[in-house]
Amino acid sequence: MRPTIYTRDEHSVRLDQVDEHALSAVLTLQDAGHTAYLVGGSVRDLLLKKKPKDFDISTSARPEEIKKLFQRQCLLIGRRFRLAHLRFGNKILEVSTFRAGDITSSSIILHDNRWGSEEEDVMRRDFTMNALFYEPRKQLILDYVGGVKDIEKRLLRTIGEAHLRFRQDPVRMIRLLKFQARFGFRCDEEAIHALDTCKHEIVKSAEARILEELLKMLESGRAEAFFSLLSEYGFINLLLPCFQHFLSHNDTRELAASYLRAADEMMQQPNIFIDRATLLSALIFPILEQEILTLCEDRQMILPLRDILQLTDSLLQGVCASSFVHFPKKLLGSVYLSITNQFRLTPIKGEPKYHARFSSADDFKLALDFLRLRCLVNPKLGHFLEHWEKPPPKE
Ligand code: ATP
Ligand code: MG
């Protein structure tokens, strides 16, 4: 099959938007007689006028040939998926050899390391918008799957038959919702239907890959849209059942959304670093807060801190026991501290005390970051934030 070729005047990617090291790596591979292109997320992002996170390269060169060309700059990684990492200072570029995959099989992919042609390399990819090659020397886009037109139409479409592609690798379903949330694209009808039919297959995927997609989406600045899609398509129930009721019930959905919206607002600020624990707390804290308020009302009393600590502990244990993904212990420990310390920063009754006990400056910083997030949800908490941002009075 021949690709549709878009020349320099027919597409919007400009050479000066391409990372200089990625460009030089492609040219080095080509000069040695190999075919080499930029591929995947970077080409898509450039067409969408977004700054790419990374620039992946696809080439006809085999890993050993890449190693020979780039020598000490190149590290071959992975036993099952052999890839080359090229190091430029602290930047790493991923170079993968064209691979083939059986796109008509419905069995789960266990091995994905059969070398193939450039066309086969395109066909094994997930969505049409992720399968475009950019050839920098002539500044061409090579499109085997109609990806350029789909991007123009803002349409998310699987390569090949959606049901099969989701059964082969169920993580693609989560990736579909991630791209939908990130770009606001419409999903192709067949893919929507396949999501419904194949969603139960999600538990056959490697939980570490799902965990990484969930955490990355909490950091994406589009968490609200993503978690709402996960819930709408029935994935929360399968992956994080503890959150299902809260995220989907009419009474609480908006509260949950307001916390994720606040996380998005924080993440959309330039050059910001927010700990993953703070972002995960945005998912968990409102559930706890509701429970505490209900208990206070039922018992007609302010809940002592001791009970709050216990409640938080059992909520987190419930999350761990029921989730498909395994949250790392260290992350959950930080979530526990970040959440429980809120009741020191903003006591349910009375004024905050400067001598509130924080085990370390890091714990205080973590808790304060989450208080900033809470202030976006509830600006009335602003005076607490001012209080804690001021240096403590001298003894
Ligand atoms: P991001 O901007 O989130 O990094 P991306 O599209 O670059 O998005 P990566 O996970 O970096 O995503 O993957 C790079 C490319 O590899 C994708 O663009 C796609 O072509 C291909 N790919 C990734 N995951 C899959 C998958 N599960 N099935 C098929 N192809 C995939
Ligand atoms: Mg990428």
Side-chain angles (χ1 to χ4, degrees):
M1 191 165 88
R2 285 186 175 279
T4 305
I5 296 179
Y6 293 88
T7 60
R8 189 180 178 282
D9 304 328
E10 292 167 335
H11 65 76
S12 60
V13 177
R14 292 293 150 255
L15 199 54
D16 59 8
Q17 299 167 310
V18 174
D19 175 86
E20 53 171 330
H21 297 119
L23 179 61
S24 89
V26 169
L27 297 182
T28 305
L29 285 159
Q30 291 182 346
D31 289 341
H34 305 289
T35 309
Y37 304 115
L38 291 179
V39 69
S42 62
V43 184
R44 172 201 72 214
D45 289 349
L46 288 174
L47 282 170
L48 286 168
K49 306 249 171 303
K50 295 191 188 297
K51 194 172 185 303
K53 275 194 290 195
D54 38 39
F55 286 83
D56 296 338
I57 294 167
S58 228
T59 177
S60 59
R62 299 287 163 90
E64 310 74 49
E65 292 172 316
I66 305 171
K67 175 80 189 164
K68 221 171 173 176
L69 265 178
F70 294 91
Q71 304 211 348
R72 288 181 53 196
Q73 222 175 351
C74 169
L75 188 70
L76 296 185
I77 60 151
R79 254 188 295 164
R80 271 176 58 208
F81 307 95
R82 288 188 71 209
L83 285 175
H85 274 179
L86 300 187
R87 211 161 356 103
F88 295 90
N90 52 14
K91 188 194 312 166
I92 292 191
L93 292 178
E94 206 168 275
V95 183
S96 57
T97 306
F98 293 144
R99 274 181 267 162
D102 183 0
I103 69 158
T104 55
S105 153
S106 65
S107 352
I108 205 149
I109 297 174
L110 295 173
H111 303 284
D112 187 14
N113 220 8
R114 195 152 55 81
W115 307 137
S117 64
E118 68 176 59
E119 184 187 345
E120 285 172 312
D121 191 72
V122 161
M123 301 315 279
R124 73 176 177 88
R125 290 175 186 275
D126 49 5
F127 305 108
T128 58
M129 66 173 185
N130 286 344
L132 300 168
F133 287 136
Y134 178 68
E135 194 294 297
R137 205 178 288 267
K138 295 191 188 136
Q139 303 184 43
L140 305 175
I141 286 184
L142 280 72
D143 182 359
Y144 284 90
V145 288
V148 170
K149 290 247 156 65
D150 284 345
I151 289 180
E152 280 166 10
K153 286 189 270 183
R154 303 180 64 76
L155 179 68
L156 254 165
R157 201 157 56 86
T158 53
I159 294 170
E161 217 270 302
H163 295 79
L164 291 181
R165 302 313 306 276
F166 291 163
R167 289 208 172 95
Q168 285 173 357
D169 180 1
V171 178
R172 289 174 184 150
M173 295 188 277
I174 303 299
R175 287 176 58 85
L176 180 83
L177 299 183
K178 144 174 140 168
F179 292 122
Q180 201 182 337
R182 222 202 272 167
F183 302 124
F185 277 23
R186 189 165 50 84
C187 252
D188 167 62
E189 286 297 319
E190 186 194 305
I192 294 181
H193 185 258
L195 271 187
D196 196 44
T197 328
C198 305
K199 65 177 174 233
H200 292 98
E201 312 260 329
I202 197 65
V203 294
K204 292 186 186 160
S205 44
E207 64 88 19
R209 287 178 68 202
I210 303 272
L211 177 69
E212 197 48 31
E213 293 288 3
L214 296 181
L215 293 175
K216 267 173 38 188
M217 281 314 283
L218 275 174
E219 293 172 319
S220 70
R222 300 289 300 158
E224 184 201 352
F226 177 66
F227 280 89
S228 141
L229 286 168
L230 279 186
S231 166
E232 186 185 325
Y233 285 101
F235 286 97
I236 290 286
N237 216 3
L238 294 163
L239 301 175
L240 303 165
C242 262
F243 298 95
Q244 173 62 23
H245 180 81
F246 201 75
L247 286 173
S248 63
H249 201 269
N250 281 345
D251 296 344
T252 47
R253 195 175 39 215
E254 179 43 37
L255 182 65
S258 66
Y259 274 84
L260 291 173
R261 209 156 39 237
D264 288 344
E265 200 178 322
M266 283 176 103
M267 289 311 298
Q268 283 162 11
Q269 289 162 19
N271 305 322
I272 187 116
F273 172 79
I274 305 285
D275 198 282
R276 282 182 164 182
T278 304
L279 300 167
L280 190 54
S281 301
L283 209 51
I284 298 173
F285 181 78
I287 303 182
L288 179 77
E289 199 180 29
Q290 280 268 310
E291 243 176 80
I292 290 172
L293 288 178
T294 316
L295 276 175
C296 286
E297 250 170 54
D298 287 355
R299 296 189 195 167
Q300 292 285 302
M301 63 178 271
I302 302 292
L303 221 54
L305 194 57
R306 185 185 67 237
D307 290 12
I308 293 178
L309 299 185
Q310 248 176 25
L311 263 180
T312 313
D313 192 45
S314 64
L315 178 63
L316 289 180
Q317 281 191 27
V319 170
C320 274
S322 61
S323 298
F324 171 69
V325 293
H326 302 309
F327 292 104
K329 271 209 174 81
K330 187 163 177 283
L331 176 62
L332 284 179
S334 301
V335 169
Y336 176 83
L337 284 173
S338 156
I339 289 184
T340 50
N341 279 330
Q342 297 310 307
F343 298 91
R344 295 193 166 99
L345 294 176
T346 62
I348 302 179
K349 192 169 163 229
E351 288 306 305
K353 300 191 177 71
Y354 270 118
H355 62 260
R357 273 165 297 162
F358 287 98
S359 40
S360 71
D362 282 349
D363 291 350
F364 176 69
K365 196 192 155 302
L366 195 65
L368 202 60
D369 266 352
F370 190 58
L371 176 55
R372 289 196 183 97
L373 189 149
R374 288 173 65 210
C375 285
L376 296 173
V377 178
N378 179 5
K380 282 192 193 141
L381 297 172
H383 71 282
F384 286 117
L385 186 60
E386 271 171 36
H387 172 94
W388 290 107
E389 279 177 334
K390 273 195 307 231
K394 293 222 162 62
E395 302 267 312

